[in-house]
Structure formats: C-alpha cells, structure tokens
Amino acid sequence: MLTGNATRRSGIVLALAAGLLLALVGLAEAKVLRLNIVADPATLGPIQNSELVSGDIIDNMYEGLTAIDRDGKVVPALAERWQALEDGKGFRFSLRKGVKFHTGHELTAADVKWTFERILTPAEKGGLGVTYLEKVVGAKAMLDGKATELPGVKVLDATTVEIRFIEPDVLFPMYPLRIVDHEVVKDHGAEWVTKVSAGTGPFQFVHWKRGQEVQVAAFKGYWKGAPQVDGVAFMVVPNDDTAISMYEANELDLVDVHEGALRRVLGDARFQGQLLQVPSAQVHYLGLNQNLYAPFKDRRVREAVALVVNREALAKGLYGGASVPLHGSITPGVPGYDPEVPKITYDPERARKLLAEAGFPGGKGMPPVDIQSTAPFKDELAYLANQGKKELGWDVRVQVVERATFIKAMNEGQVPFFAWGWTADYPDGAYFLSQMWHSKSRFNRARYANPRYDEVIDRAMAVADNDARYKLYRQAERMLMEDWGMVPVSARLLVAIRKPGVSNVYLTPFRYRPFAEVRIN
C-alpha cells in the first residue's frame, strides 16, 4: 500500500511521463529550434558538468540562484535577493516563492543545501561547482570523505538559506551553481540524469540519442512563463561544413560557426543578414605542463614557444578576421581586463636565442612531443606544430583526440602540451585567473604552480571593491605572463547564423542565453 508521500511521488512521475510522451509525439509537428553541437555532451548532469557543450544544454534545463542576462549582467534568478553577512564571510539568500521543478516539486532551501552537498560528495565527481564551493564551511571535510553534511549551508526556513565561508568570497553570488530537486534520486534512482531533468529551467529533458541529438521540450510550468517554442533539438554535427550544408538544406535553424567554417561564412554574402557576432569571453591558449615535459620547466623555453605564435596572422588567416590577438589571460570586455597588458611580439629570432640559452640550440635535445586537442582545433594544431618545427627545429606532432577522452585527460593533468579554450561562466576576470591558474584549482589543466600568484588571487577574492580587486587581478596577470605560465593565443568572435524566421536568439560573450524567448515564424 502506498503512503501519502509515495502516492504523491507516483502521481508526479506518471504526470511527467505523460507530459514527455506527448512532447515526443508532438515535436514532429511542433516548432522545434534545431542547432548544432560539435560532439555529444560529456554529461547532462549539472552537478558533474565542467565543459561547454554540456553547459549549453544544461543551462536550458537548470538555473542558479542568479543568472547572466542578455547584456552580460548578473541578475536575480532563483534567489530574489541576497545580502552579505556582517562578518563578510557569507551570504543570506531569499528564494523566489512558487517556483516548480520539472518533477512537480516546489523549490525550497533544502534543495539548495542538497545540491551543494551533492557537488561536494566525492562519489559524484563534481565539476566546476566544486571550485565554487571550496570556501564553504565544511567543504573540505566533505571532499576528503570525512563528512556527509555541509554545516556551512543552513536552511533557515523554506525560502531562506544562509551560506558561510571559512574566508571571504565576494564573488559567490555570481557563481552558476545550478539547483537540483533534492528528491530526484529517491524518485528516479541514481541514474536519473539519463531519464529526466530535475531543474527549474524553461525546458525539460526528452531524450539523448548518443551521437545524434539531445532533445528538450518546453516546460509549461516555467516560473517566467512557458517558452515560445515547443522544444530544442541539439544536433550532434562534428564537421563544420556539414553543419553549414544542413543549414542550407533547412535541417538546422541556428548554427554555431566554429573555426573551420568562419572564413566561408563571413565571406559569403548570402549569410550577411543572418549573422550574429559578439566578442567571446573565451581565451584560446596553449597549456605547457612542466610536470610531464621537462623542457617546459625552463622559463626560456616557455617564452620561446610564445614568441613563435604569430597571433595577427592567425587572426587574419585561420579565423578570417573573427578573432583578436590575446596577450594575457583575461579577454577584452570582461570586468578586470587590463588593456595595458604588455603585447607579445612575434619574434622567432629571439625565440631561437632563448632556446639555445636553455641548452637546446636549433631544437637539439628537445624530446619529440604531441600537441593535442579536439577536431575543431585541428587547423590551429597544424599551424602550431609547423611553427615549432620551422622556427625552433622542435619535433612537434599533431594528435587529435576524442573530446570526452581529451577533457578527462586534461582534468587529470595528463596532457603535456595542448591547445584549448576556456570560457567565463560569470562576468569577472577571476574566472580566468583563479579557475585556470591557481595551483589548487581542479581545472588548472597545465598544473601551473606559483605560490606568489596564488597569494595575490586569494587576497583578491576577499576584496568587495571592484577597482581594488581589479588592481590585484592586474598584478596577478603580469606575474603569470612574466613567468610564461600560459601562452595566450586569441580571443575570437562568437559567430552564429540564424534563419530569417528565427528571432530572439541572444548570443552574448558568455555564449547563448537560454532559448525561452526564441520564436520561429
């Protein structure tokens, strides 16, 4: 015999299943936005996510306490308001009342606490959220497997949650910590992510056909009002030319244009009235893991690598003018960007001199190395490998790796030399400086370590005044670049093409905003 709660959960499950069945049947004739993604998402779980393809889908199903609007500003979302605690070591958030999850349950402060604890549970293999929660009281004990509860998160009542830190973290309200229904595991089991969604966002999960598509349907109970389209189909299209051909054949309504197709699209007059362009909050860079490739331990070798990258030629040639040369770790337009960061000149002669001083004249004694990345970077990899051989006499080989395998290897610090991108999740330069290069960050994929750099970043995270904090960012960024801890390459434009009948697609420096307002005529 079912208890009252069990009966309620059963009814919710049946209603959800019926709704999704109707969605599946109806989407064939419905208004569904179709767009390309370059690969299968690594996960559809907001707790585990740490990569862009997954994030673009997850952001349509899950929301945080705050959000980034179409102008790139932080605005209230699931939290209506928040205030700093008196000692500066925490915040009190007041949640929006009446918000429903896709599961039918109502959002409460218990969901916030459960989500944060789930992120910090080692068995869950938490993604970016781990770094956002590390300063919460009790986080370390959870990460070390010594506790199962987070005392730094207190449920004061159904719609009020207090979060306390071991030290100030003034940026916490910006962090995109996506809240999950705390009853979803009880209702759907540990593998719930492949069955349902448990967020509050404008769309809910329908299916994931691996290698083909992820489809989501409009959530009619969305607190901002039902979306204008019936669903979104994220189509797995690894090849840029194929994506453009599908667009021309009316098989895609919106195309995220990647490096391999930029010149073709930007140079084709047919697409001019359909273009969306915005400077990206994404840094393209080279990672040099000193732990895995001994020559990278020498600062002169790292500088030599930086000096044989012709950033202007890459911007004009490979990217067709749709990027700008990058000379630091923060992209233009992101708060904290330093326009006076010293420029990196293309200087192969000085690079060869530095290499000789380091004991590798003409590249002699430099072990062969693979430069690795995924398929969209293949042309950039070919250029960089050629520059290493031509200008330095260095045997650099190109290795294109499957996306999920590559990301896992990078996250575990197992890739000695790679080209990659890093896109800001919130509008502050700390996202680049702290997440990418602090020695304790799980996403410091090159495993760069500099105690002086860490100390400056740690100080910055306690400074609420923007100007004073940005001054510390500039100090840290200069330190990073003088040490050649990274090799910045470019900050490209985000470019998309959109069918004339599609409106209200918002492409921002932080990628697409959720598609709740999109219309298809």
Side-chain angles (χ1 to χ4, degrees):
M1 183 174 181
L2 293 176
T3 64
N5 285 339
T7 302
R8 175 173 170 268
R9 289 198 299 272
S10 179
I12 289 169
V13 171
L14 290 173
L16 177 62
L20 291 184
L21 179 61
L22 287 173
L24 281 166
V25 172
L27 281 176
E29 299 177 358
K31 290 183 177 180
V32 177
L33 178 71
R34 302 162 300 172
L35 71 153
N36 64 315
I37 53 177
V38 297
D40 264 320
T43 179
L44 291 180
I47 286 167
Q48 292 79 24
N49 182 51
S50 65
E51 60 104 16
L52 290 176
V53 173
S54 299
D56 287 343
I57 303 171
I58 288 169
D59 280 350
N60 282 277
M61 297 189 288
Y62 296 86
E63 298 174 299
L65 299 174
T66 62
I68 299 175
D69 68 9
R70 69 186 71 165
D71 298 317
K73 296 178 180 177
V74 175
V75 294
L78 297 183
E80 286 186 307
R81 59 189 179 276
W82 54 92
Q83 64 187 69
L85 301 182
E86 288 185 5
D87 61 1
K89 294 183 179 180
F91 291 90
R92 182 172 296 152
F93 291 89
S94 298
L95 303 183
R96 198 175 297 276
K97 296 178 181 177
V99 175
K100 291 290 182 69
F101 286 105
H102 305 150
T103 55
H105 299 141
E106 188 165 318
L107 169 74
T108 69
D111 297 300
V112 177
K113 181 176 176 65
W114 182 89
T115 298
F116 290 0
E117 289 175 344
R118 201 80 177 176
I119 290 170
L120 294 169
T121 299
E124 291 295 320
K125 299 185 183 338
L128 273 168
V130 172
T131 63
Y132 302 149
L133 294 172
E134 284 177 329
K135 292 183 180 180
V136 175
V137 172
K140 187 177 186 305
M142 285 202 68
L143 288 170
D144 291 343
K146 297 177 180 178
T148 58
E149 188 176 351
L150 195 57
V153 179
K154 291 188 177 180
V155 174
L156 301 185
D157 58 43
T159 58
T160 311
V161 60
E162 185 175 277
I163 302 166
R164 287 192 172 274
F165 312 136
I166 56 174
E167 59 188 56
D169 187 354
V170 297
L171 300 183
F172 188 85
M174 292 188 184
Y175 297 157
L177 291 155
R178 297 162 181 87
I179 307 305
V180 178
D181 175 10
H182 79 280
E183 296 194 62
V184 69
V185 175
K186 182 168 54 178
D187 290 346
H188 297 282
E191 302 301 318
W192 63 270
V193 166
T194 59
K195 303 172 186 175
V196 298
S197 49
T200 59
F203 296 92
Q204 58 187 338
F205 180 78
V206 175
H207 64 226
W208 178 4
K209 295 182 179 178
R210 294 181 186 272
Q212 299 180 50
E213 69 172 16
V214 175
Q215 196 166 90
V216 297
F219 176 41
K220 302 303 182 183
Y222 184 45
W223 62 274
K224 285 186 177 181
Q228 301 297 315
V229 292
D230 297 301
V232 182
F234 298 88
M235 314 292 291
V236 179
V237 188
N239 183 275
D240 295 323
D241 289 332
T242 301
I244 303 302
S245 297
M246 290 175 68
Y247 180 83
E248 293 173 322
N250 293 317
E251 295 171 3
L252 291 174
D253 307 297
L254 177 66
V255 169
D256 200 14
V257 182
H258 300 284
E259 287 85 346
L262 281 172
R263 291 174 64 86
R264 172 182 172 184
V265 168
L266 294 175
D268 192 329
R270 294 177 302 162
F271 297 131
Q272 291 308 303
Q274 301 167 34
L275 282 172
L276 298 172
Q277 299 182 67
V278 65
S280 171
Q282 182 186 75
V283 51
H284 276 204
Y285 71 102
L286 303 184
L288 286 62
N289 191 321
Q290 300 175 40
N291 299 328
L292 300 179
Y293 188 71
F296 288 159
K297 292 181 181 293
D298 194 309
R299 178 193 174 281
R300 294 165 296 189
V301 172
R302 302 195 296 272
E303 182 177 358
V305 174
L307 296 182
V308 296
V309 178
N310 190 332
R311 290 158 183 77
E312 285 72 16
L314 272 174
K316 294 176 182 177
L318 182 61
Y319 302 131
S323 76
V324 296
L326 191 66
H327 303 280
S329 187
I330 303 176
T331 58
V334 172
Y337 169 71
D338 180 6
E340 297 180 0
V341 66
K343 301 295 184 285
I344 305 171
T345 58
Y346 174 56
D347 193 345
E349 184 176 344
R350 172 168 168 75
R352 287 189 287 271
K353 181 180 178 183
L354 286 167
L355 212 60
E357 291 176 359
F360 305 109
K364 293 178 182 178
M366 291 270 284
V369 69
D370 293 336
I371 183 168
Q372 300 182 35
S373 197
T374 56
F377 282 82
K378 64 182 185 301
D379 292 336
E380 187 173 310
L381 293 180
Y383 165 80
L384 294 165
N386 183 65
Q387 286 296 100
K389 292 174 183 176
K390 182 179 72 172
E391 303 294 358
L392 301 177
W394 182 25
D395 186 7
V396 182
R397 303 166 301 201
V398 170
Q399 185 177 10
V400 175
V401 186
E402 185 272 328
R403 183 182 180 87
T405 302
F406 179 64
I407 291 173
K408 182 176 185 293
M410 279 196 304
N411 286 348
E412 294 174 355
Q414 296 176 354
V415 186
F417 189 30
F418 59 89
W420 197 236
W422 185 255
T423 301
D425 239 5
Y426 54 81
D428 190 275
Y431 194 84
F432 297 106
L433 298 175
S434 179
Q435 304 299 325
M436 291 179 73
W437 305 114
H438 194 292
S439 66
K440 293 182 181 178
S441 171
R442 298 167 68 248
F443 299 99
N444 179 346
R445 287 160 165 161
R447 297 300 191 261
Y448 174 72
N450 183 332
R452 293 189 303 119
Y453 176 88
D454 289 353
E455 189 272 331
V456 175
I457 294 299
D458 290 340
R459 275 197 288 136
M461 294 302 94
V463 178
D465 179 76
N466 287 341
D467 290 339
R469 191 170 71 256
Y470 298 158
K471 186 175 180 180
L472 290 170
Y473 291 174
R474 288 192 290 274
Q475 180 182 339
E477 188 175 35
R478 299 295 176 96
M479 194 180 297
L480 175 70
M481 297 314 307
E482 287 170 4
D483 197 28
W484 298 103
M486 70 170 295
V487 176
V489 177
S490 66
R492 72 178 183 90
L493 291 178
L494 289 177
V495 178
I497 45 176
R498 172 199 55 191
K499 287 292 182 181
V502 177
S503 60
N504 297 347
V505 174
Y506 301 115
L507 184 64
T508 77
F510 304 92
R511 298 173 69 82
Y512 295 114
R513 294 302 86 205
F515 296 122
E517 298 179 46
V518 168
R519 293 178 180 270
I520 300 177
N521 299 319

